Amino acid sequence: MRPGAVLGVDIGGTSVTADLVTCDGVSLEARRRPTGHGDAALDTLASLLVECAGMAATHGVQLQGIGVLSPGHVEEVSGVVHFASNLGWREVPLAAALRRIPEIAEVPLTVGHDVRWAGIAEGTFGAARDARDYAVLSIGTGIAACLVADGAVLSGATGSAGEVGHATVVADGDLCACGRRGCLDAYASGGGLLRRYAARSGRSDVDSVAELVAARDHDHDARVVWDEGVDALAAGLCTLIMTIDPAVISLVGGVSRAGVALTQQLGERLSAEAGWKSVPPLVVSPLHAMSGRAGAVLLGMQSAGCEKHAATWSAQDVSAWGRSPHAEGAR
Amino acid sequence: MRPGAVLGVDIGGTSVTADLVTCDGVSLEARRRPTGHGDAALDTLASLLVECAGMAATHGVQLQGIGVLSPGHVEEVSGVVHFASNLGWREVPLAAALRRIPEIAEVPLTVGHDVRWAGIAEGTFGAARDARDYAVLSIGTGIAACLVADGAVLSGATGSAGEVGHATVVADGDLCACGRRGCLDAYASGGGLLRRYAARSGRSDVDSVAELVAARDHDHDARVVWDEGVDALAAGLCTLIMTIDPAVISLVGGVSRAGVALTQQLGERLSAEAGWKSVPPLVVSPLHAMSGRAGAVLLGMQSAGCEKHAATWSAQDVSAWGRSPHAEGAR
């Protein structure tokens, strides 16, 4: 019998990644595609899965489980994505649609919520490995959190717990993509930071948060937008700390790549904001931008029925997937 | 053998109540005393407990368990109150101190956190009886919440989850009793409402929220302070809904006695604030101001080892305790 492997697919607002990983945690190959929108995003996924099935055959491994992570409001039991604004999806029966692909029809496939599984990955082999109560704040195109209390992920009554990106941080503040005003997301997400910079500076040529961070020493607009974003994060996190009292807050997603430039300033603002309440450690995930991909692979391991095995993988192993010589497609 | 009864003691910032209730849920007698501060509060408790032991003997019942609820930062396992600002307590070994009282030395006694047990009472026989995910917001002298996710009360890493009274609702806003600025508590707690009214109107003769509510139709200052309080509650609850997604929010504590005057205006403001996010039912607890006292009795039942029995009591039974002809002392 061929050695086993699983596939983890992480659908982001910008790109989809697929990681083919052995059941021992070794990355065999990874792929990245632009996500597309609406039906086109479904077509991207279908062709990527077919390609990965072929990839598994090429590597001589047996595909034993597939985990697919989607943003938005995802019902994990049925595999339906009720709403994902960035993808233009409403009531998409994602698991059912993907299970109909002939090339992978025999492989157990499960659909999960991206931030929830990034959070489970953080607790399994990331910054929160030994914590029972923690928060994983994903700051990417949008902002959401995976909240874990006494070892269990908070789902909420309708499955939408953790939407902290839509906490109000500025009364009657800037319009958010969600239609509300003053949301944390509007000030501190990747999308929010770039929209606010473009509106303030009149420039449309800064299209990454890394550029914005680099520019803040000489560009006053970049400085103001960044500082206001960090202030908004401090306000949102302060309320989160008062509410759920986490032992550690792990930062994931594109904006967290700002690293110390983010954590030092944010930690100072947060301590000032929190007053008497002590602030838990604020850590950029050692999984770097891999926590979503790691979560997808973990869900694939669960689909294959061997998720316990994944608890022995280290953060170094997992974060190395992105640098694997076989994984160039996903860099 | 004499029939069994338990004692529930609820330590409030203003007064302490003690309820002597049979194991069938019938109120035998209740007492209320001004709480006092610091060591005096401990003396109040000790003399009240001695008095209640005598009361049990008079009623011919055997005292089988005692539950004592404290505000502040309470460690339930050790029975130590680490910090309770309204009582002036720091590191008070409450359970140990009370267990040394000779008259009750034989009775199992447990110390719990007031809002946590008010929340458990709400889930046991109040507004959240069938809910797995709910929030109980206590709006009394201060504001705190008991948050329940998938049937379990959130404690947090350091036991301080639910401090939503110290969510920031107004950036650089009014000074809170906690030393921070712009806390929900400063705007919408009983203490906050009365302090803001006194500061705005220059009058010091309005000393209950009921008076403030009654005055708002003809007193502009009362109207503004009340409206800003409700707006602050809407902002705080909106963020709470985004964060933990409760099926129902139950309101308890003195300010909740404003009833429809509170829930209608708050519901409207909250729906406007929440935008796309649907708002769960907002219910004034059917236990009225009894949820803390009911929680204390429930903890007493747990101390006695018969808490399952309490699940058969109705909200009517429990809220009737306050109107019991034997309970006049606690009205």
Side-chain angles (χ1 to χ4, degrees), chain A residues 4 19 28 48 85 95 98 102 105 133 146 149 172 195-196 206 227 229 240 244 248 269 295 305 308 310 322:
Chain A
D19 281 279
L28 295 174
L48 185 61
S85 58
L98 298 178
D133 298 85
C146 176
D172 292 321
R195 274 190 299 273
R196 295 192 81 230
V206 171
D227 287 350
L240 187 69
I244 67 153
V248 58
R269 289 293 298 117
K308 282 186 183 165

Side-chain angles (χ1 to χ4, degrees), chain B residues 71-130:
Chain B
H73 183 188
V74 179
E75 190 178 313
E76 299 202 345
V77 176
S78 64
V80 171
V81 180
H82 292 297
F83 180 55
S85 58
N86 284 330
L87 304 177
W89 283 359
R90 272 189 191 276
E91 304 303 335
V92 171
L94 184 60
L98 298 179
R99 286 177 192 139
R100 278 197 298 270
I101 300 171
E103 289 85 346
I104 55 164
E106 305 294 310
V107 187
L109 180 149
T110 315
V111 166
H113 181 237
D114 58 354
V115 177
R116 175 180 159 89
W117 280 91
I120 296 173
E122 280 298 303
T124 306
F125 30 65
R129 192 184 276 253
D130 296 316

Side-chain angles (χ1 to χ4, degrees), chain B residues 4-6 19-29 313 317 321 324 326:
Chain B
V6 301
D19 281 279
L20 181 68
V21 175
T22 70
C23 293
D24 298 321
V26 176
S27 166
L28 294 175
E29 198 159 342
W313 304 350
D317 289 347
W321 296 350
S324 158
H326 306 291

Side-chain angles (χ1 to χ4, degrees), chain A residues 133 147 149 154-164 166-168 178 180 238-240 242-247 273-277, chain B residues 133 147 149 154-164 166-168 178 180 238-240 242-247 273-277:
Chain A
D133 298 85
L147 309 177
L154 297 195
S155 295
T158 67
S160 69
E163 288 285 4
V164 299
H166 303 291
T168 307
C178 81
R180 298 180 64 243
C238 185
T239 291
L240 187 69
M242 296 291 184
T243 306
I244 67 153
D245 183 24
E273 178 87 22
W276 53 270
K277 172 76 185 167
Chain B
D133 298 85
L147 309 177
L154 297 195
S155 294
T158 68
S160 71
E163 289 285 4
V164 299
H166 303 290
T168 307
C178 82
R180 298 180 65 242
C238 185
T239 292
L240 187 68
M242 296 292 184
T243 305
I244 67 152
D245 183 23
E273 178 90 20
W276 52 268
K277 172 75 183 167

Side-chain angles (χ1 to χ4, degrees), chain B:
Chain B
M1 189 171 155
R2 288 174 296 165
V6 301
L7 189 66
V9 178
D10 183 24
I11 312 172
T14 311
S15 60
V16 186
T17 53
D19 281 279
L20 181 68
V21 175
T22 70
C23 293
D24 298 321
V26 176
S27 166
L28 294 175
E29 198 159 342
R31 294 282 158 91
R32 182 186 292 273
R33 296 279 174 277
T35 308
H37 203 259
D39 286 344
L42 278 173
D43 293 343
T44 303
L45 277 175
S47 68
L48 186 59
L49 283 171
V50 170
E51 195 179 312
C52 289
M55 212 159 75
T58 306
H59 283 280
V61 293
Q62 190 190 6
L63 201 52
Q64 295 184 336
I66 301 175
V68 178
L69 302 187
S70 171
H73 183 188
V74 179
E75 190 178 313
E76 299 202 345
V77 176
S78 64
V80 171
V81 180
H82 292 297
F83 180 55
S85 58
N86 284 330
L87 304 177
W89 283 359
R90 272 189 191 276
E91 304 303 335
V92 171
L94 184 60
L98 298 179
R99 286 177 192 139
R100 278 197 298 270
I101 300 171
E103 289 85 346
I104 55 164
E106 305 294 310
V107 187
L109 180 149
T110 315
V111 166
H113 181 237
D114 58 354
V115 177
R116 175 180 159 89
W117 280 91
I120 296 173
E122 280 298 303
T124 306
F125 30 65
R129 192 184 276 253
D130 296 316
R132 298 285 298 164
D133 298 85
Y134 62 92
V136 179
L137 188 73
S138 173
I139 322 176
T141 310
I143 292 180
C146 175
L147 309 177
V148 177
D150 203 16
V153 176
L154 297 195
S155 294
T158 68
S160 71
E163 289 285 4
V164 299
H166 303 290
T168 307
V169 291
V170 178
D172 292 322
D174 283 12
L175 193 64
C176 179
C178 82
R180 298 180 65 242
R181 283 198 172 274
C183 294
L184 174 56
D185 201 301
Y187 288 82
S189 69
L193 287 165
L194 295 177
R195 276 191 297 273
R196 295 191 81 230
Y197 178 77
R200 188 182 171 95
S201 67
R203 291 173 55 185
S204 55
D205 57 332
V206 171
D207 56 7
S208 81
V209 172
E211 284 175 72
L212 186 78
V213 170
R216 86 210 134 96
D217 285 337
H218 54 83
D219 177 339
H220 181 69
D221 292 325
R223 174 91 250 165
V224 169
V225 166
W226 176 257
D227 287 351
E228 288 179 354
V230 173
D231 286 355
L233 276 175
L237 284 181
C238 185
T239 292
L240 187 68
I241 289 168
M242 296 292 184
T243 305
I244 67 152
D245 183 23
V248 57
I249 297 175
S250 167
L251 304 176
V252 305
V255 176
S256 74
R257 290 189 213 182
V260 174
L262 173 64
T263 51
Q264 187 172 337
Q265 187 177 347
L266 178 57
E268 284 165 9
R269 289 292 298 116
L270 185 52
S271 292
E273 178 90 20
W276 52 268
K277 172 75 183 167
S278 64
V279 170
L282 209 59
V283 185
V284 172
S285 167
L287 302 176
H288 301 289
M290 297 295 297
S291 62
R293 288 165 62 181
V297 170
L298 200 54
L299 181 58
M301 292 288 280
Q302 191 188 69
S303 304
C306 54
E307 71 275 17
K308 281 186 182 164
H309 206 66
T312 62
W313 304 350
S314 72
Q316 279 101 327
D317 289 347
V318 173
S319 59
W321 296 350
R323 298 189 301 275
S324 158
H326 306 291
E328 287 196 359
R331 273 198 193 167

